[in-house]
Amino acid sequence: MMLSWEYPPRVIGGISPHIYFLSKYLSKQNVKVYVVTCDFPGAPAHEVIGNVEVYRVDSYKSPSPDFATWVYLMNMNMQKETAALMKKIGDKVNVIHAHDWLVANAGIGLKHVFRKPLIVTMHSTEMGRRDGLHTTAERMIHETEAWLTYEAWKVICCSDYMITHVRYAFGLPNDKLAMVPNGVNTHSYEFDNDCEIFRAKFALPEEKIALFVGRLVYEKGVQILINAVPKILAKVNTKFIIVGSGYMKEQLLNIVQSMGLEHKVLFEGFMDETTLQKLQKCADVSIVPSLFEPFGIVALEAMAARSPVVASDTGGLSEIIEHDKTGVKVYPNNPDSLAWGIIKILKDETYANYIRDNAYRRVQERYDWQKIASDTKSIYEAVLSEYSKSFWAKTV
Amino acid sequence: MVGQLSEYVKALTSELSEKKIDVNVVTYDDRLTGETQESSGVKTVRVNNPVKTHIGVLTWVLTLNQEVERVSANLYYDSNKKIDLINVFDWHFIPAAVTLKNGLGIPFIYSIESLEEHRSPTANSSYNMAIKSIEWLGFYESHIAIVKSEWMKEEVIRIYKVPKEKIAVIPSTQEATVNKILKIYHSIREEPRNKT
């Protein structure tokens, strides 16, 4: 029983595609997967996708004064609906797999009501997202995350960096943690794309395309890229395309305007998946300047699209990118270093192609969903083996 | 003790226990957590909130509900699944009662001391509306609602459009209060479970 606040077509961050592919490939390995998630306009309340059953619950049943309160109220309804579902389908559910604090209450409650083992994937932490804990709301979310990981039988993280971070943030023992990387679907980038025509929508023929994809929030480091833009333009004629939205958008627009660079930096907002994939395939460089990055799925997607990546040497990005082989790593929070990395790629076509080929091979070798599902299934089996010896297994 | 509910529940559960009803009370206490056996024979389990920092009453109540749910589920399994009924007092623990009902098939009674509409008569902020939505959920999911006056019954019908057949009026001042509540308990127990 998979619990997530997002599942396609509801896509807010990286959890949605993660659940989609993980459940899809788990079901190919004979794991029956039920996904309970939030509703979305036009999406059915119950849907069967292959061997995956998706249930979408009413997430706005109760009015809420703020986002965090909404999360707990949404959990109340998700928990109620999932409890009814689990009672209906009988003893078919062996494990409950909750993704992030956003479904903490539902996951913990269902664990105790049905006495089933709870597995948790921590995609990120509040402490990491906010670079510390500064407000009451942040501390509340942090404590909820700690409570969730305390209740979990096993905590899955997507990088060695996150394992260390989660162990530190919540004081967890080593044997409770397991690393399973995130994956990328390379097949979705296998289509013919006439870059000559497509790129004309964004850049002049003589301009290189530098692409940033991500939420426009502090930890994604888009402000560092903006600061690096004049240094790059001094060396290479480039068009910077920013895809995504977030609370920093207005502020960033003002900075770009004050620099007189509106014609060089385009804010495209949200982009549909097909257009984004075409753009990633045409981009001369993809930039991931994050300050905090548990994994760095955007880098992996760019590598699958054969776009050379320049990324901060931080978090999960440090593990994905091998410097000078599958990408270029730069100092985090350093516009000079970032500009150096981007210029290095844009000025040397041979080097860029070398990076492209290596990166694509690395993605196929290490970040294949089949392997990730297999690793996850092994964790389920190990937990179930331990659970079968517990007194809980004898009382249900 | 926060209001009069504490004393009322203590008196009610003691009298139920005298009438040979196995009563477990799950309640909140910030420090005295764990299980105690009262002299009346009532087993009391006190829980505190697993999350200490909160931005408001709603988040505090909703996380506390998970502990209420956890110990209630433990009581259910420890008693070989022989919990017949849950009686929830006011809106605070309705989320736990609703999940226990839907997951384990235990019917519940919703006893109303007061309503948000009367506690905050002119307030219609999203905070108040959220509490009202939880009260509505309690009426919708409960087997029966118990109120203490005809006036409150009319108010419940007026505000939440609850069918009058679903509301029982049992004033707490009557000597026969416990017998009337017990009669309702027995009537629910004797009904087939698939009705809940």
Side-chain angles (χ1 to χ4, degrees):
Chain A
M1 178 61 68
M2 202 91 82
L3 304 175
S4 169
W5 85 314
E6 56 171 324
Y7 181 89
R10 182 181 158 94
V11 182
I12 291 145
I15 299 177
S16 182
H18 177 94
I19 308 284
Y20 176 80
F21 286 111
L22 179 61
S23 56
K24 180 180 171 179
Y25 282 88
L26 275 170
S27 73
K28 283 184 180 177
Q29 297 182 22
N30 298 319
V31 178
K32 172 76 185 171
V33 184
Y34 297 90
V35 177
V36 179
T37 188
C38 296
D39 53 355
F40 191 79
H46 178 222
E47 192 177 9
V48 181
I49 304 167
N51 199 25
V52 179
E53 279 195 53
V54 181
Y55 291 85
R56 295 185 178 86
V57 301
D58 185 348
S59 57
Y60 292 96
K61 221 173 174 77
S62 303
S64 25
D66 51 73
F67 173 71
T69 308
W70 171 81
V71 169
Y72 294 103
L73 285 163
M74 178 274 286
N75 267 261
M76 176 180 77
N77 199 39
M78 176 180 274
Q79 193 172 171
K80 179 196 119 184
E81 299 284 344
T82 313
L85 172 66
M86 285 175 74
K87 185 167 185 284
K88 190 175 125 194
I89 60 179
D91 207 26
K92 285 184 191 161
V93 175
N94 299 112
V95 295
I96 297 161
H97 189 163
H99 293 261
D100 263 8
W101 78 278
L102 298 141
V103 292
N105 283 34
I108 293 165
L110 293 165
K111 167 196 159 177
H112 289 288
V113 167
F114 292 96
R115 292 204 155 173
K116 296 291 178 190
L118 172 67
I119 294 169
V120 168
T121 297
M122 289 303 290
H123 294 265
S124 179
T125 67
E126 188 68 0
M127 190 184 264
R129 283 188 295 268
R130 310 289 178 199
D131 195 16
L133 301 169
H134 313 286
T135 66
T136 306
E138 288 168 11
R139 280 191 288 277
M140 179 182 74
I141 293 168
H142 171 75
E143 286 179 37
T144 305
E145 290 171 340
W147 174 40
L148 178 64
T149 58
Y150 170 80
E151 290 278 1
W153 202 295
K154 211 82 176 171
V155 177
I156 299 173
C157 298
C158 55
S159 64
D160 289 328
Y161 164 79
M162 268 302 276
I163 292 269
T164 311
H165 173 72
V166 164
R167 189 170 49 215
Y168 156 74
F170 308 121
L172 298 178
N174 254 340
D175 62 359
K176 198 170 185 172
L177 294 155
M179 203 284 273
V180 179
N182 224 326
V184 69
N185 183 24
T186 51
H187 304 300
S188 65
Y189 291 92
E190 288 168 1
F191 57 87
D192 290 332
N193 190 24
D194 192 339
C195 269
E196 289 296 314
I197 298 168
F198 183 77
R199 75 193 308 284
K201 293 178 182 177
F202 300 93
L204 296 168
E206 63 273 22
E207 285 177 322
K208 298 278 189 183
I209 291 181
L211 178 64
F212 170 93
V213 180
R215 285 176 296 125
L216 305 185
V217 296
Y218 176 77
E219 76 260 24
K220 294 295 176 191
V222 62
Q223 65 279 10
I224 302 153
L225 173 62
I226 301 295
N227 282 335
V229 166
K231 299 178 209 307
I232 300 160
L233 288 176
K235 302 274 184 180
V236 193
N237 187 9
T238 309
K239 184 65 69 62
F240 295 87
I241 301 168
I242 313 286
V243 177
S245 196
Y247 64 81
M248 283 184 79
K249 189 172 180 180
E250 284 299 312
Q251 194 185 343
L252 294 165
L253 278 166
N254 288 339
I255 294 169
V256 168
Q257 210 167 20
S258 68
M259 290 166 130
L261 292 172
E262 305 101 300
H263 63 299
K264 284 293 184 186
V265 184
L266 305 182
F267 287 85
E268 292 292 326
F270 281 112
M271 199 174 262
D272 68 85
E273 197 180 345
T274 311
T275 312
L276 177 60
Q277 286 179 339
K278 284 181 181 175
L279 187 55
Q280 284 172 312
K281 283 181 72 140
C282 296
D284 296 293
V285 63
S286 289
I287 305 147
V288 192
S290 304
L291 300 173
F292 172 76
E293 197 62 79
F295 182 71
I297 190 73
V298 180
L300 217 56
E301 285 169 355
M303 288 158 78
R306 292 175 177 267
S307 173
V309 175
V310 176
S312 302
D313 189 6
T314 186
L317 290 168
S318 297
E319 294 165 42
I320 293 172
I321 309 262
E322 190 178 343
H323 182 62
D324 259 355
K325 191 164 183 189
T326 61
V328 175
K329 286 201 267 200
V330 298
Y331 296 121
N333 204 8
N334 188 325
D336 289 332
S337 182
L338 185 64
W340 167 84
I342 294 167
I343 292 164
K344 187 175 164 75
I345 292 278
L346 294 180
K347 294 219 26 147
D348 189 343
E349 189 67 29
T350 312
Y351 178 73
N353 285 335
Y354 169 77
I355 296 285
R356 275 181 225 275
D357 294 341
N358 288 338
Y360 187 72
R361 260 198 308 278
R362 180 65 56 86
V363 169
Q364 286 182 314
E365 284 162 12
R366 286 201 192 163
Y367 301 101
D368 173 58
W369 275 112
Q370 199 70 37
K371 186 180 180 309
I372 290 157
S374 170
D375 291 349
T376 307
K377 188 183 174 186
S378 298
I379 292 169
Y380 289 175
E381 287 167 346
V383 167
L384 281 171
S385 168
E386 289 174 16
Y387 167 80
S388 67
K389 294 167 202 145
S390 72
F391 85 94
W392 265 27
K394 294 172 185 73
T395 53
V396 287
Chain B
M1 279 195 287
V2 180
Q4 292 176 334
L5 190 57
S6 176
E7 284 298 332
Y8 173 72
V9 173
K10 189 182 176 188
L12 175 64
T13 53
S14 298
E15 286 193 52
L16 285 169
S17 183
E18 271 178 33
K19 292 182 185 298
K20 308 293 178 206
I21 304 291
D22 282 335
V23 185
N24 300 286
V25 176
V26 181
T27 188
Y28 163 75
D29 195 291
D30 203 28
R31 289 175 297 278
L32 302 172
T33 55
E35 194 179 304
T36 51
Q37 193 82 33
E38 310 291 332
S39 56
S40 60
V42 174
K43 187 197 278 184
T44 307
V45 188
R46 292 178 174 85
V47 295
N48 66 10
N49 205 313
V51 175
K52 301 294 176 199
T53 311
H54 283 281
I55 54 171
V57 173
L58 276 168
T59 62
W60 184 85
V61 165
L62 291 165
T63 50
L64 181 61
N65 261 271
Q66 299 311 141
E67 277 296 277
V68 170
E69 205 172 296
R70 180 181 68 80
V71 298
S72 302
N74 284 346
L75 289 166
Y76 170 78
Y77 287 109
D78 292 348
S79 66
N80 289 321
K81 306 180 183 179
K82 284 185 180 137
I83 301 287
D84 297 304
L85 190 65
I86 294 169
N87 193 347
V88 62
F89 294 84
D90 270 358
W91 69 277
H92 306 91
F93 295 150
I94 283 172
V98 166
T99 301
L100 290 162
K101 175 204 156 183
N102 281 281
L104 303 176
I106 310 169
F108 80 89
I109 293 174
Y110 175 21
S111 293
I112 296 101
E113 293 291 310
S114 65
L115 294 173
E116 183 64 7
E117 177 83 0
H118 303 131
R119 287 187 298 266
S120 311
T122 54
N124 276 309
S125 69
S126 51
Y127 165 80
N128 306 106
M129 295 305 282
I131 293 172
K132 286 177 186 178
S133 78
I134 295 171
E135 288 179 341
W136 177 87
L137 184 68
F139 288 117
Y140 182 79
E141 293 276 344
S142 63
H143 202 93
I144 200 158
I146 297 178
V147 296
K148 289 180 173 172
S149 65
E150 286 293 337
W151 174 79
M152 185 60 104
K153 180 179 177 177
E154 293 306 316
E155 284 295 277
V156 168
I157 293 168
R158 179 182 70 83
I159 300 162
Y160 291 105
K161 312 285 180 271
V162 179
K164 62 176 188 286
E165 304 77 28
K166 201 174 175 175
I167 309 167
V169 181
I170 305 179
S172 59
T173 49
Q174 289 182 2
E175 277 187 16
T177 296
V178 176
N179 287 336
K180 284 184 179 175
I181 290 175
L182 207 47
K183 200 173 163 189
I184 290 172
Y185 284 5
H186 284 309
S187 71
I188 294 171
R189 197 183 163 191
E190 281 154 18
E191 284 181 29
R193 274 290 164 92
N194 59 9
K195 272 194 79 176
T196 58

